[in-house]
């Protein structure tokens, strides 16, 4: 049997006044809770070191904006987290804002149980807007502050499993899971900061938790993989963000879920043999997928004209 004891470390709000040392001490506390439960791997949230700054308006290059980005990983403050994890012999996924030359990315890394970074992912689906609009109740300016990820959706061999990463809005796009599914991914780790009440219709806000679980359960089932998702949540600087961190099995079932909007650890034993039936039967991609019918998925970005099949292939009426 091949399995992994996985923890998801949900973070409550990080306020603007909370410096990195405050955030990192909370991450280390959650890591120690994971150790006490016998976990081998911990998933931390998206942008886990600071408050969710894309809610505010800056110009690229502003000093205050630049201060939210990490010049290096680990850096002087994050080193303590790497050291604590290596001492506990626990691997982890961490989301943070990355400065890479002139590039600014919403990034996550995989760190193994020896504290070595073995993989990186940069968020591809950037939600929200690049220009502020005062008619909105709140801004979501990730397109303004982050470049589109340029590393694809890589899958890494780690902790004796095929592990992939995504970040927040990525989880709403089936392509995210399928590209990793086609690499044999067994566990997808992701972090999210999901605000509600930015002016969207009431029903959209009321369905935020439903859509959170729906999209990840579907992604897990359609690709016969585990999904471990960590929220940063609660009321940050007056803005509310959903919690509902969860661990989902390859069958699409939620096996663990957070119930607070605070720092909270959940965990589960992820048995990778659980996925075998689905991978070999229902979602045996080699046997069942018909890529010749899927061309529009990569040829088109947005909605276009309807596609008509050749009439000779289906209509004998005028023969
Ligand atoms: N946050 C949100 C997310 O996809 C969002 C953006 C919120 C999209 C609500 C749709 C509805 O969960 C991030 N950071 O991507």
């Amino acid at each position: 049997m091949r399995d992994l004891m996985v923890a998801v470390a949900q973070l409550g709000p990080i306020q603007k006044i909370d410096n990195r040392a405050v955030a990192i001490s909370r991450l280390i506390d959650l890591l120690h809770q994971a150790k006490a439960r016998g976990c081998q791997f911990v998933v931390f949230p998206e942008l886990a070191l600071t408050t969710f700054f894309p809610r505010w308006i800056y110009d690229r290059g502003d000093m205050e904006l630049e201060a939210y980005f990490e010049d290096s990983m680990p850096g002087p403050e994050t080193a303590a987290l790497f050291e604590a994890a290596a001492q506990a012999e626990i691997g982890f996924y961490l989301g943070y804002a990355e400065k890479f030359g002139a590039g600014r990315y919403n990034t996550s890394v995989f760190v193994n149980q020896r504290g070595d970074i073995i993989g990186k992912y940069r968020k591809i689906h950037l939600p929200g807007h690049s220009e502020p609009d005062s008619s909105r109740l709140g801004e979501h300016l990730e397109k303004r502050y982050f470049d589109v990820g340029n590393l694809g959706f890589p899958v890494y061999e780690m902790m004796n499993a095929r592990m992939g990463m995504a970040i927040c809005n990525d989880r709403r796009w089936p392509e995210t899971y399928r590209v990793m599914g086609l690499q044999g991914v067994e566990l997808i780790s992701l972090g999210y900061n999901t605000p509600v009440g930015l002016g969207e219709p009431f029903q959209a806000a009321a369905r935020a938790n439903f859509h959170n679980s729906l999209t990840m359960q579907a992604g897990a089932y359609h690709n016969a993989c585990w999904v471990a998702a960590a929220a940063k949540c609660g009321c940050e600087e007056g803005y509310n963000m959903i919690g509902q961190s969860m661990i989902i099995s390859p069958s699409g079932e939620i096996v663990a879920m957070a119930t607070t909007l605070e720092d909270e650890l959940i965990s589960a034993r992820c048995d990778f043999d659980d996925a075998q039936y689905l991978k070999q039967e229902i979602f045996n991609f080699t046997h069942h997928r018909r890529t010749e019918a899927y061309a529009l998925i990569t040829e088109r970005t947005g909605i276009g004209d309807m596609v008509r099949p050749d009439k000779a292939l289906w209509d004998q009426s005028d023969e």
Side-chain angles (χ1 to χ4, degrees):
M1 174 187 62
R2 196 161 48 87
D3 62 6
L4 187 66
M5 290 302 293
V6 174
V8 163
Q10 173 175 288
L11 276 177
I14 297 180
Q15 308 305 343
K16 195 172 183 179
I17 196 168
D18 295 329
N19 61 26
R20 280 178 179 70
V22 168
I24 287 159
S25 69
R26 288 166 54 185
L27 294 174
I28 291 172
D29 179 54
L30 287 159
L31 182 111
H32 288 156
Q33 290 180 41
K35 183 67 178 174
R37 291 194 192 190
C39 295
Q40 299 159 285
F41 181 73
V42 181
V43 181
F44 292 118
E46 170 193 31
L47 297 174
L49 305 174
T50 68
T51 196
F52 186 72
F53 60 87
R55 64 169 67 95
W56 293 307
I57 301 169
Y58 301 98
D59 290 326
R60 284 214 33 166
D62 279 0
M63 290 301 286
E64 186 174 334
L65 174 65
E66 285 289 281
Y68 285 112
F69 288 82
E70 306 303 314
D71 292 312
S72 61
M73 187 52 68
E77 289 128 324
T78 46
L81 175 64
F82 281 64
E83 287 153 16
Q87 192 167 14
E89 294 183 303
I90 286 183
F92 62 91
Y93 161 109
L94 177 70
Y96 64 97
E98 178 194 15
K99 188 184 296 180
F100 187 84
R104 298 290 180 272
Y105 299 101
N106 188 340
T107 294
S108 62
V109 286
F110 275 150
V111 180
N112 68 15
Q113 62 274 42
R114 288 178 296 283
D116 306 319
I117 293 178
I118 65 108
K120 181 178 281 186
Y121 168 70
R122 290 167 174 159
K123 187 173 183 178
I124 286 173
H125 297 97
L126 297 170
H129 311 91
S130 50
E131 292 304 321
D133 177 343
S134 57
S135 69
R136 287 191 283 266
L137 293 184
E139 293 291 356
H140 195 117
L141 296 171
E142 290 194 57
K143 291 184 192 293
R144 187 180 180 86
Y145 304 136
F146 298 123
D147 300 310
V148 173
N150 58 354
L151 303 178
F153 292 106
V155 171
Y156 297 93
E157 189 72 35
M158 175 182 172
M159 320 290 287
N160 195 25
R162 289 195 180 189
M163 309 256 277
M165 291 183 264
I167 301 176
C168 204
N169 196 253
D170 289 322
R171 76 191 188 284
R172 299 181 192 275
W173 300 92
E175 295 88 345
T176 299
Y177 304 88
R178 183 49 48 90
V179 169
M180 288 189 269
L182 288 166
Q183 300 173 71
V185 73
E186 296 176 293
L187 170 63
I188 295 175
S189 298
L190 67 94
Y192 58 92
N193 289 228
T194 299
V196 290
L198 300 188
E200 70 277 17
F202 167 73
Q203 276 286 41
R207 292 174 176 137
N209 276 24
F210 167 64
H211 289 150
N212 180 55
S213 55
L214 172 72
T215 195
M216 293 194 289
Q217 287 179 269
Y221 171 59
H222 290 159
N223 296 278
C225 67
W226 289 85
V227 172
K232 173 150 67 70
C233 57
C235 186
E236 271 195 358
E237 300 294 329
Y239 291 86
N240 289 306
M241 300 195 293
I242 68 168
Q244 207 186 50
S245 302
M246 58 178 65
I247 300 172
I248 300 165
S249 74
S251 63
E253 291 164 299
I254 298 170
V255 299
M257 188 172 83
T259 56
T260 71
L261 294 176
E262 300 297 336
D263 293 9
E264 179 179 350
L265 195 88
I266 60 173
S267 61
R269 185 180 69 84
C270 296
D271 180 346
F272 299 118
D273 296 339
D274 273 1
Q276 291 322 304
Y277 167 71
L278 288 173
K279 284 182 186 284
Q280 288 158 15
E281 295 298 330
I282 314 287
F283 294 111
N284 183 320
F285 291 168
T286 305
H287 289 174
H288 300 309
R289 291 186 74 242
R290 303 302 319 173
T291 51
E292 69 276 10
Y294 306 158
L296 285 188
I297 290 177
T298 54
E299 287 171 3
R300 285 189 188 175
T301 301
I303 294 172
D305 291 338
M306 292 179 283
V307 176
R308 289 268 185 282
D310 183 341
K311 207 157 184 289
L313 291 174
W314 59 275
D315 183 353
Q316 294 169 326
S317 60
D318 52 4
E319 277 183 8

